[in-house]
Amino acid sequence: MEIYLDNSATTKPYKEVVDKMVYALTEEYGNPSSVHRKGVIVEKDIKNVRKEIAKFLGAKEKEVFFTSGGTESNNAVIRGIAYANKRSGKHLITTKIEHPSVLNTFKDLESEGYNVTYLDVNDKGVIDFEDFQKALREDTILVSIMHVNNEVGSIQPVDKIGKYLSKLKRKVYFHVDGVQSFGKIDFKPSRYNIDLLSVSAHKIHGPKGIGFLYVKENTKIKPILTGGGQESAFRSGTENVPGILGLGEAVRITMTGIKENIEKIKNLKELLLKEIKDNIDDIKVNSSEDGVCHILNVSFLGIKGEILLHYLEEENIYVSTGSACSSKKKGSHVLLSMGISNKEIEGAIRFSLSSMNNEEEIIKAVKVIKEKVEELRNIINKR
Ligand SMILES: Cc1ncc(COP(=O)(O)O)c(C=O)c1O
């Protein structure tokens, strides 16, 4: 039995997603820009996906843009807002625990003369609202804050931030990286006063290399990709039709069953935590109780998370030591920012669940984790 507990890295596509992609690759493979029938059919298919996503977001069709995923959406927003609004100011605000697609983009902008404030987080991985208020300046043009952290699952107060920004006299754009929250928290960008929202399909059982960006009407943003003018000239390039149709299926299934899914995943996470606490000694839970439903980060003290990960892989159990994109680098910047010690970071494992998991898998996984942790601790103690 394969037990996949690395759903923050990526998820298994729904069957409907695969079927829709096969349709787009084998039957309706036309270019949506072609004026003949094969093009028009595909153009309509894309329009329907955009319409459906807009409906779930409570947004307008023209506010939804397809991109290659979270990384591109984050880059497009941060660079696009910074370049288009530099006359109003060059100050940007973010947090220390963002995904590298945000942090490295801000680093790049710093080298181009922009000023960036990186907000600290507390031991729960959450920013201080007063710090955020204090960081705002006359020349601030963009606040970019992730909704849910991908390593520990902490939830930032994006509703409070959005409300605060919307009451300011001058325009400060608010971008939310919603890659780990879309489908795991039931929200709409307009309810939180979000101007820009990044979403990635492969975190919600869709295909890799596709996602969307919500851009509120009248946002002043410079396109990053120029060319043939697709996506209302915001994102040129022939559309990734199989990806877009697959994304559409993933969003439809995710959003139709969102309440039940969240409840199911939350219960599985609680079971996982209880089983770990009841069966394994010397652990430290790095995720806070009020975190997102699908992520649980736990340190198994005295052992190396990376070694445990490979021991579990031998048993067909898949977990992560941090985020997939940064797990090859030493020391998680997220756990370090939360004040977690190096020893605790060394033994950290991120479990991330999806609605495709079940109770039997959780109980089996913890049984194996207990055995492997004991085995590793025995080896270390004998040295
Ligand atoms: C919070 C967050 N933002 C952005 C990304 C990047 O998304 P993508 O893999 O679609 O480029 C990830 C992926 O792990 C993520 O977790």
Side-chain angles (χ1 to χ4, degrees):
M1 174 162 83
E2 177 184 295
I3 305 179
Y4 186 75
L5 304 176
D6 199 14
N7 290 280
S8 285
T10 198
T11 53
K12 181 177 176 178
Y14 290 124
K15 185 182 177 301
E16 292 87 336
V17 167
V18 178
D19 290 347
K20 223 8 184 273
M21 293 180 79
V22 170
Y23 154 86
L25 287 164
T26 55
E27 286 176 51
E28 292 307 340
Y29 50 81
N31 185 328
S33 295
S34 295
V35 288
H36 53 65
R37 192 170 60 239
K38 281 208 95 52
V40 174
I41 290 173
V42 177
E43 193 190 13
K44 265 197 196 140
D45 283 341
I46 292 180
K47 188 175 163 47
N48 286 337
V49 174
R50 200 187 310 277
K51 197 169 165 183
E52 191 156 53
I53 292 177
K55 184 190 82 189
F56 286 123
L57 292 176
K60 295 177 181 155
E61 276 176 62
K62 61 179 176 186
E63 294 176 322
V64 177
F65 297 89
F66 298 114
T67 68
S68 66
T71 299
E72 186 188 320
S73 291
N74 288 343
N75 266 265
V77 168
I78 298 164
R79 293 176 198 278
I81 294 287
Y83 297 152
N85 297 279
K86 61 182 174 209
R87 282 217 187 96
S88 307
K90 286 185 132 187
H91 180 239
L92 316 153
I93 298 175
T94 190
T95 80
K96 286 191 177 161
I97 62 161
E98 298 296 310
H99 186 266
S101 58
V102 168
L103 286 178
N104 291 332
T105 308
F106 277 120
K107 293 247 161 66
D108 217 26
L109 287 180
E110 279 182 295
S111 72
E112 292 176 31
Y114 288 83
N115 243 293
V116 184
T117 300
Y118 298 90
L119 299 172
D120 283 318
V121 293
N122 62 16
D123 58 356
K124 290 180 163 190
V126 179
I127 62 154
D128 182 296
F129 189 70
E130 268 183 33
D131 282 356
F132 152 73
Q133 285 174 304
K134 279 188 213 142
L136 280 168
R137 305 188 334 200
E138 276 307 307
D139 59 343
T140 307
I141 51 170
L142 172 69
V143 174
S144 176
I145 292 189
M146 71 192 333
H147 196 176
V148 166
N149 179 267
N150 47 306
E151 293 190 36
V152 292
S154 55
I155 303 173
Q156 301 303 329
V158 293
D159 46 348
K160 222 168 146 188
I161 294 169
K163 202 174 281 167
Y164 188 82
L165 290 176
S166 71
K167 288 191 182 134
L168 293 179
K169 284 202 185 73
R170 65 205 162 75
K171 183 68 197 165
V172 178
Y173 286 106
F174 185 31
H175 167 238
V176 170
D177 175 348
V179 169
Q180 296 291 347
S181 68
F182 187 79
K184 310 298 187 318
I185 294 177
D186 198 2
F187 73 102
K188 290 196 168 38
S190 57
R191 211 194 306 148
Y192 287 177
N193 295 297
I194 293 170
D195 296 305
L196 305 115
L197 177 77
S198 304
V199 175
S200 177
H202 74 105
K203 312 287 186 181
I204 55 162
H205 307 282
K208 291 163 187 65
I210 187 77
F212 70 82
L213 181 61
Y214 160 81
V215 183
K216 196 172 171 181
E217 200 176 10
N218 299 325
T219 293
K220 210 170 142 199
I221 184 164
K222 189 175 188 296
I224 301 304
L225 291 181
T226 48
Q230 290 89 343
E231 295 293 293
S232 311
F234 177 68
R235 203 270 187 187
S236 285
T238 300
E239 294 85 343
N240 173 358
V241 182
I244 292 171
L245 299 199
L247 162 74
E249 284 302 290
V251 170
R252 183 181 60 75
I253 298 169
T254 300
M255 296 310 275
T256 309
I258 185 162
K259 288 202 169 62
E260 299 76 31
N261 273 350
I262 292 174
E263 194 55 27
K264 179 178 178 190
I265 301 169
K266 191 168 148 269
N267 288 337
L268 288 175
K269 190 183 86 165
E270 277 165 13
L271 177 67
L272 175 63
L273 180 59
K274 186 180 177 313
E275 285 292 305
I276 292 176
K277 277 185 173 169
D278 286 355
N279 291 289
I280 307 173
D281 293 333
D282 293 329
I283 57 145
K284 180 177 179 290
V285 181
N286 301 316
S287 299
S288 105
E289 270 175 29
D290 48 11
V292 75
C293 59
H294 70 301
I295 300 176
L296 182 66
N297 192 306
V298 180
S299 292
F300 297 91
L301 307 178
I303 60 173
K304 287 202 165 69
E306 202 176 321
I307 298 180
L308 178 58
L309 177 152
H310 291 302
Y311 269 53
L312 294 175
E313 165 192 53
E314 290 301 310
E315 304 294 326
N316 247 341
I317 297 172
Y318 300 94
V319 296
S320 168
T321 50
S323 63
C325 341
S326 60
S327 58
K328 289 200 181 79
K329 285 188 224 143
K330 284 261 172 256
S332 146
H333 69 289
V334 176
L335 297 180
L336 278 173
S337 301
M338 289 166 63
I340 294 172
S341 72
N342 281 328
K343 275 267 158 247
E344 289 164 346
I345 293 177
E346 221 174 60
I349 289 285
R350 175 188 71 178
F351 302 95
S352 47
L353 311 175
S354 88
S355 57
M356 288 190 185
N357 291 124
N358 59 46
E359 288 186 5
E360 191 195 346
E361 289 179 342
I362 301 295
I363 289 166
K364 166 92 195 293
V366 177
K367 195 169 163 275
V368 178
I369 295 164
K370 178 184 162 70
E371 285 165 19
K372 298 298 168 191
V373 167
E374 281 171 4
E375 198 179 323
L376 280 167
R377 283 181 178 156
N378 280 338
I379 295 172
I380 292 160
N381 289 338
K382 273 190 201 137
R383 273 196 202 146

